[in-house]
Amino acid sequence: MNTAIIATGSELLAGLVKDSNSKFLAENLRELGFTVTGIYLSSDKKEDIIRTIKFASENAELIFITGGLGPTEDDLSRDALAEALDRELIYSEEIARSLKDFFARHDYKMTENNFRQAYLPKDAKIIKNNNGTAPALKIFDNQTRFYLLPGVPREMVAIFNNSIKKELEKLSKNKIIYREYNFIGIGESTLEDKFNQIKIDSQIEKSYQATKGEVKLRLKVLLSDSMDREKTETMLDNAEQKLVKHLGEYLYSKDDKDILEIFVEKIKNSRLTIASAESFTGGLFAKRLSDKAGSSQFFKGSIVAYTKEAKINLLNLDPQIIKKYGMISKECVTAMAKNTAEIFKSDIAIAFSGVAGPGSMEDKMPGTMHIAIKYNDEIKTIELNKNYGRSLNRYYATQIAFFETIKLLK
Amino acid sequence: MNTAIIATGSELLAGLVKDSNSKFLAENLRELGFTVTGIYLSSDKKEDIIRTIKFASENAELIFITGGLGPTEDDLSRDALAEALDRELIYSEEIARSLKDFFARHDYKMTENNFRQAYLPKDAKIIKNNNGTAPALKIFDNQTRFYLLPGVPREMVAIFNNSIKKELEKLSKNKIIYREYNFIGIGESTLEDKFNQIKIDSQIEKSYQATKGEVKLRLKVLLSDSMDREKTETMLDNAEQKLVKHLGEYLYSKDDKDILEIFVEKIKNSRLTIASAESFTGGLFAKRLSDKAGSSQFFKGSIVAYTKEAKINLLNLDPQIIKKYGMISKECVTAMAKNTAEIFKSDIAIAFSGVAGPGSMEDKMPGTMHIAIKYNDEIKTIELNKNYGRSLNRYYATQIAFFETIKLLK
């Protein structure tokens, strides 16, 4: 089915803001088996949006419009679509009520403008937005199906994933079977190289994608009418077996789960508690853990000791260790982890010390990173020596800490 | 002058590659005073490109087309433009010669396909590409001016900067003057509402954009021939004065700077040191500070005390305070900030305690957040009571902490 994406927003045409929504939709639509025939960025102006809708409709039966659903006067996607389809705008009591609820719940003052969001083209269906005030809308018009989505990426993505994806799966005729595998601790080209040496069925397409300290491998088979679903799954099972056998030590997920999710699940099930001591990660480990609702069940806290004095005073670190081995050393993180477990009375303690960069420290290169994980009277240490730049170094160290702790809890 | 940008490439529509060219062009064209009326991503197919060219031509007199100038069979931008403008494709001896030169110089083998690049629409002018084989082309057709540029960003950018920018500067009649203002602590619709009550010159266009816990206001004046640059600046100065007078308490930047940048600059200049105590922010404050290279100059560390015990043991919090006022209270954060300054011997200490959500705590609603800032023997406290969801609550609290500390350091 031919599909078009329209992103509205004058800030996009001014080059001030990146249009990440269209790329997200394009990627997902492709994976669902749709053909995107065009991506069109339009200004906020009603006439421009109408022109673009009409143009997109010429050769697409499924059209996504993002942005322009807010409460201000330059939010005109609702109006434009109504006019393009020659429909009235109707005041929805249902939306008005949920807007009033939202504002009351958040103790915000509601202005007259906010009620603009309660108008929708006649016969439009409302799709709930749990992250903002602008509901998404769905409209069927003759052969064409329109989705109007908010422009805030977080809201748009949540609505797409939770409410639209399933509908589209039913709609799609070309089924594609995917399997996804996530790796940590191995580079994209090394992974590709190693996997290419393993023989798998030639109908399986492989693609690699490197993201922040991880590599995702996607296996894909296009399921045509002549192909048996069961046989295809078996073919993929075989490939997976080989993958696990040869590259299993780097594999942490078979269903594109976030490593943090896996970590949190594991630690919740184990009923263990955790604390951390952070030098170069500067609170990032604690921040990531506490991002998760419910983390207070197992997370006791973290001491971010950014100076030598803080390490000595707060982490009770023996100055002799620092003198002898330096702060960026296996010995130092080992003592940090040991003391942290005592200070917080936690079952697991993880300590980080290293050089985030860009500069060197203690004559050690950026990317020199030490991690210690204390669990069950044993302390596992890891040394990393690759420089990915300040931000990714810090992030990568926390990824490795999650990955190695998961292995210990197995 | 109305301008349109067409990016060709099926990989763009599959969401596999980011279209960075269009954003680059849009940004530069805006700064040169052109109005971009649309950005259109087309597939590689000739018919799609032709359709898109015709649509773009409807309301733009300056059209950029990127991609599809390579030597392979799916490089069809030249053919599409020729057909859209009803012109023949002519073999150019000049291009053929320079292609042969290029291949000889680089000791590459030339294939028959490479000569496809020597064909160009009749009367097209050649713009040299110093970084690749595909020359850019320029075509005037009645009132419309087309630029065909290679899709490789490095080549496109070099050609634009070296050969096209100057031509466009001469062509541009309308210069646009922008001013940008960033606000914290006020919602988009409230800001719009309040600003609409202030009378400013009607030639000033306003636009609003809400991002993570902030609102950006952009004032824009189109400087036509009949308008005096100096007068326009004065007009904007007047608007700015009113803005500062009425909404100054929420304004943190007049040049679109990040609040963290401003904070770090301020604290570096002040030569003060800082430490923090974090409950519901869980290390986010420390993480954001330590994101910045060089933060060890002023940042001593943070105690992330996620449990009551950690607050008592690590922050020396008087259990009586917790008993009497609860952990989520002005009194608690005040004591946390005071003790943190002592523990770290820092000039500034910032403490956070609150309910991140989604659940309640101590019978307090999610979004109930207390911040205390100790500086110079005084402790400033802030209470927030708006629920934006767990992630944004935490982020917003750190934004407010940066903002309020900047005010204290003034």
Side-chain angles (χ1 to χ4, degrees):
Chain A
M1 187 182 275
N2 282 348
T3 306
I5 300 166
I6 299 172
T8 68
S10 298
E11 69 281 4
L12 300 173
L13 297 183
L16 292 163
V17 170
K18 198 172 61 185
D19 168 33
S20 62
N21 287 339
S22 299
K23 186 169 182 295
F24 169 87
L25 288 172
E27 209 169 341
N28 275 277
L29 289 164
R30 169 176 53 79
E31 286 178 4
L32 288 162
F34 294 92
T35 306
V36 178
T37 56
I39 297 177
Y40 311 111
L41 279 57
S42 157
S43 84
D44 291 330
K45 286 188 197 140
K46 197 169 72 178
E47 317 81 68
D48 282 346
I49 304 175
I50 294 173
R51 266 185 80 237
T52 312
I53 290 172
K54 289 188 171 165
F55 177 62
S57 306
E58 282 173 20
N59 72 347
E61 303 103 65
L62 174 63
I63 297 177
F64 288 84
I65 304 170
T66 61
L69 294 180
T72 62
E73 279 156 34
D74 55 4
D75 288 309
L76 291 167
S77 293
R78 283 174 297 256
D79 310 60
L81 185 58
E83 209 168 312
L85 303 182
D86 208 8
R87 299 191 184 200
E88 290 168 83
L89 274 178
I90 309 277
Y91 181 77
S92 157
E93 286 294 350
E94 182 189 343
I95 300 182
R97 215 167 23 243
S98 89
L99 284 170
K100 281 179 205 157
D101 278 1
F102 181 92
F103 280 82
R105 214 163 54 236
H106 292 75
D107 205 20
Y108 294 164
K109 204 179 155 291
M110 204 164 171
T111 66
E112 202 43 51
N113 267 344
N114 290 112
F115 285 103
R116 293 175 44 84
Q117 293 185 303
Y119 286 88
L120 69 175
K122 191 166 183 297
D123 295 329
K125 292 199 176 60
I126 299 162
I127 306 175
K128 243 184 116 185
N129 177 359
N130 292 321
N131 300 293
T133 56
L137 300 176
K138 178 168 68 171
I139 301 177
F140 294 95
D141 192 81
N142 293 321
Q143 297 307 311
T144 313
R145 177 189 288 247
F146 291 88
Y147 286 97
L148 250 79
L149 300 171
V152 179
R154 194 174 60 103
E155 300 178 15
M156 192 280 294
V157 167
I159 294 172
F160 184 87
N161 284 336
N162 301 334
S163 310
I164 297 178
K165 212 167 178 176
K166 282 230 175 83
E167 296 183 0
L168 295 180
E169 273 167 9
K170 282 182 209 148
L171 206 65
S172 172
K173 288 195 192 92
N174 302 314
K175 295 272 184 267
I176 296 171
I177 304 186
Y178 284 96
R179 299 246 179 129
E180 291 189 322
Y181 304 91
N182 301 67
F183 297 86
I184 279 184
I186 186 167
E188 185 179 3
S189 55
T190 314
L191 181 68
E192 182 172 10
D193 215 42
K194 291 199 176 193
F195 195 36
N196 277 344
Q197 291 167 30
I198 304 169
K199 212 182 127 43
I200 62 166
D201 196 291
S202 63
Q203 286 181 84
I204 302 176
E205 245 182 75
K206 297 177 263 187
S207 68
Y208 300 86
Q209 196 190 334
T211 47
K212 292 173 80 182
E214 295 186 27
V215 185
K216 190 194 281 186
L217 163 67
R218 193 178 283 124
L219 301 183
K220 172 178 154 182
V221 181
L222 195 75
L223 198 65
S224 58
D225 286 338
S226 65
M227 275 171 80
D228 185 65
R229 169 119 204 174
E230 212 167 307
K231 272 188 194 153
T232 310
E233 296 284 3
T234 310
M235 186 204 301
L236 283 163
D237 286 342
N238 289 337
E240 182 173 309
Q241 268 180 21
K242 290 181 185 169
L243 191 66
V244 170
K245 188 178 162 198
H246 295 280
L247 292 153
E249 61 180 306
Y250 309 105
L251 179 69
Y252 77 84
S253 172
K254 291 184 195 171
D255 32 39
D256 203 22
K257 260 199 186 165
D258 184 51
I259 194 148
L260 182 52
E261 298 289 349
I262 298 174
F263 180 84
V264 166
E265 204 173 286
K266 200 119 212 152
I267 204 152
K268 271 188 181 169
N269 291 340
S270 71
R271 297 180 179 269
L272 299 167
T273 58
I274 187 166
S276 53
E278 306 188 54
S279 183
F280 77 106
T281 51
L284 176 62
F285 182 78
K287 182 259 173 198
R288 293 191 66 196
L289 271 190
S290 59
D291 276 345
K292 298 289 159 192
S295 48
S296 55
Q297 275 176 49
F298 55 84
F299 180 49
K300 294 200 156 189
S302 184
I303 293 173
V304 181
Y306 223 54
T307 60
K308 185 171 141 188
E309 290 66 40
K311 286 186 186 71
I312 295 169
N313 297 335
L314 292 167
L315 291 169
N316 308 325
L317 212 64
D318 182 353
Q320 290 305 318
I321 291 183
I322 297 179
K323 206 173 164 192
K324 195 163 170 192
Y325 304 101
M327 290 188 284
I328 297 143
S329 65
K330 182 180 150 181
E331 290 77 9
C332 186
V333 283
T334 303
M336 282 166 73
K338 190 170 162 286
N339 298 357
T340 300
E342 281 165 20
I343 292 169
F344 282 97
K345 298 183 188 69
S346 66
D347 303 309
I348 303 169
I350 305 185
F352 300 86
S353 187
V355 192
S360 302
M361 263 181 72
E362 295 184 347
D363 290 331
K364 284 176 179 122
M365 295 292 287
T368 311
M369 306 183 280
H370 290 271
I371 304 168
I373 307 169
K374 182 183 182 304
Y375 172 55
N376 267 351
D377 299 322
E378 297 210 8
I379 297 180
K380 176 172 184 174
T381 59
I382 300 123
E383 179 173 353
L384 304 170
N385 282 301
K386 269 191 191 160
N387 185 16
Y388 303 98
R390 181 179 180 87
S391 165
L392 197 47
N393 284 341
R394 285 157 44 102
Y395 189 83
Y396 189 61
T398 63
Q399 292 288 88
I400 293 288
F402 290 133
F403 189 38
E404 295 294 337
T405 311
I406 291 168
K407 286 189 198 168
L408 287 180
L409 296 180
K410 257 174 192 160
Chain B
M1 185 182 277
N2 282 347
T3 306
I5 300 166
I6 300 171
T8 68
S10 298
E11 69 282 5
L12 301 172
L13 297 182
L16 292 165
V17 170
K18 200 170 61 188
D19 168 33
S20 62
N21 286 339
S22 299
K23 187 168 183 295
F24 169 85
L25 288 172
E27 210 168 341
N28 276 276
L29 289 164
R30 168 176 56 80
E31 284 173 7
L32 289 162
F34 294 92
T35 306
V36 178
T37 56
I39 297 176
Y40 311 111
L41 278 59
S42 158
S43 83
D44 291 331
K45 285 185 200 145
K46 196 169 74 177
E47 318 80 69
D48 282 345
I49 305 175
I50 293 173
R51 265 185 81 236
T52 312
I53 290 172
K54 289 188 172 163
F55 177 62
S57 306
E58 282 174 19
N59 72 348
E61 303 105 64
L62 174 63
I63 297 177
F64 288 83
I65 303 169
T66 60
L69 295 180
T72 62
E73 277 155 33
D74 57 3
D75 288 308
L76 292 167
S77 292
R78 283 174 299 255
D79 310 60
L81 185 58
E83 207 168 314
L85 304 182
D86 209 8
R87 299 190 184 202
E88 291 168 83
L89 274 178
I90 309 279
Y91 182 76
S92 157
E93 287 292 348
E94 182 189 342
I95 300 181
R97 217 168 20 243
S98 89
L99 283 170
K100 281 179 207 159
D101 277 1
F102 180 93
F103 279 83
R105 215 163 51 237
H106 290 78
D107 206 18
Y108 293 162
K109 204 179 159 292
M110 207 165 169
T111 66
E112 200 44 50
N113 266 344
N114 290 114
F115 286 103
R116 293 175 45 85
Q117 294 186 301
Y119 285 87
L120 69 175
K122 193 168 183 294
D123 294 329
K125 290 196 179 61
I126 299 161
I127 306 175
K128 243 185 117 182
N129 178 358
N130 293 320
N131 300 292
T133 57
L137 300 175
K138 179 167 68 171
I139 301 177
F140 294 96
D141 193 82
N142 293 322
Q143 298 307 313
T144 313
R145 178 188 287 247
F146 292 88
Y147 285 98
L148 249 79
L149 301 171
V152 180
R154 195 173 60 104
E155 300 179 15
M156 192 280 294
V157 167
I159 294 172
F160 184 87
N161 285 336
N162 301 334
S163 311
I164 298 178
K165 211 167 180 175
K166 281 228 174 85
E167 295 183 1
L168 295 180
E169 271 167 11
K170 284 182 208 148
L171 203 66
S172 172
K173 284 188 197 105
N174 305 310
K175 296 266 184 279
I176 295 173
I177 304 183
Y178 281 97
R179 299 239 180 134
E180 292 188 321
Y181 304 91
N182 300 68
F183 297 87
I184 279 183
I186 186 168
E188 183 182 3
S189 54
T190 314
L191 181 68
E192 181 174 15
D193 214 42
K194 291 199 177 192
F195 196 36
N196 277 346
Q197 290 166 30
I198 304 169
K199 213 182 126 44
I200 62 165
D201 197 291
S202 63
Q203 288 182 81
I204 302 175
E205 243 182 75
K206 299 176 264 187
S207 67
Y208 300 86
Q209 195 190 332
T211 46
K212 288 175 80 180
E214 295 187 29
V215 186
K216 189 193 282 186
L217 164 66
R218 193 176 286 125
L219 301 184
K220 170 177 155 182
V221 181
L222 196 73
L223 199 66
S224 58
D225 285 340
S226 64
M227 276 172 77
D228 185 59
R229 169 118 203 175
E230 213 168 307
K231 273 188 193 149
T232 310
E233 294 285 3
T234 311
M235 185 205 297
L236 282 163
D237 286 342
N238 289 337
E240 182 173 310
Q241 268 178 24
K242 289 180 185 170
L243 190 67
V244 171
K245 189 178 161 198
H246 295 280
L247 293 154
E249 62 181 305
Y250 308 106
L251 179 69
Y252 77 84
S253 171
K254 292 183 192 173
D255 34 39
D256 202 22
K257 261 197 186 165
D258 183 52
I259 194 148
L260 183 52
E261 297 289 348
I262 298 174
F263 180 84
V264 166
E265 205 174 284
K266 199 119 213 153
I267 203 148
K268 272 188 180 169
N269 291 339
S270 72
R271 296 179 179 270
L272 299 168
T273 58
I274 187 165
S276 53
E278 307 188 52
S279 183
F280 78 106
T281 51
L284 176 62
F285 182 78
K287 182 258 173 197
R288 293 191 66 195
L289 272 190
S290 59
D291 276 344
K292 298 289 161 192
S295 49
S296 55
Q297 275 176 50
F298 55 84
F299 179 49
K300 293 200 156 190
S302 184
I303 293 173
V304 181
Y306 224 53
T307 61
K308 186 169 140 189
E309 291 66 42
K311 286 185 185 73
I312 294 169
N313 297 335
L314 292 167
L315 292 168
N316 308 326
L317 214 64
D318 182 352
Q320 290 305 317
I321 291 183
I322 297 179
K323 204 172 167 192
K324 195 163 170 192
Y325 303 101
M327 288 189 285
I328 296 143
S329 65
K330 181 180 153 183
E331 289 76 11
C332 186
V333 282
T334 303
M336 282 165 74
K338 190 168 161 287
N339 298 357
T340 300
E342 280 165 20
I343 293 168
F344 282 97
K345 298 185 187 66
S346 66
D347 302 309
I348 304 170
I350 305 185
F352 300 86
S353 187
V355 192
S360 303
M361 263 181 71
E362 294 184 348
D363 289 332
K364 284 173 179 126
M365 296 290 288
T368 311
M369 306 185 277
H370 291 270
I371 304 168
I373 306 170
K374 182 182 183 304
Y375 172 54
N376 267 351
D377 299 323
E378 296 210 8
I379 296 179
K380 176 171 183 175
T381 59
I382 300 123
E383 180 173 352
L384 303 170
N385 282 302
K386 271 185 192 169
N387 185 14
Y388 304 98
R390 180 177 181 88
S391 164
L392 199 46
N393 285 341
R394 284 157 44 101
Y395 188 83
Y396 189 61
T398 62
Q399 292 288 87
I400 293 288
F402 291 133
F403 189 39
E404 295 293 336
T405 310
I406 290 168
K407 285 190 198 166
L408 286 180
L409 296 181
K410 255 176 192 157

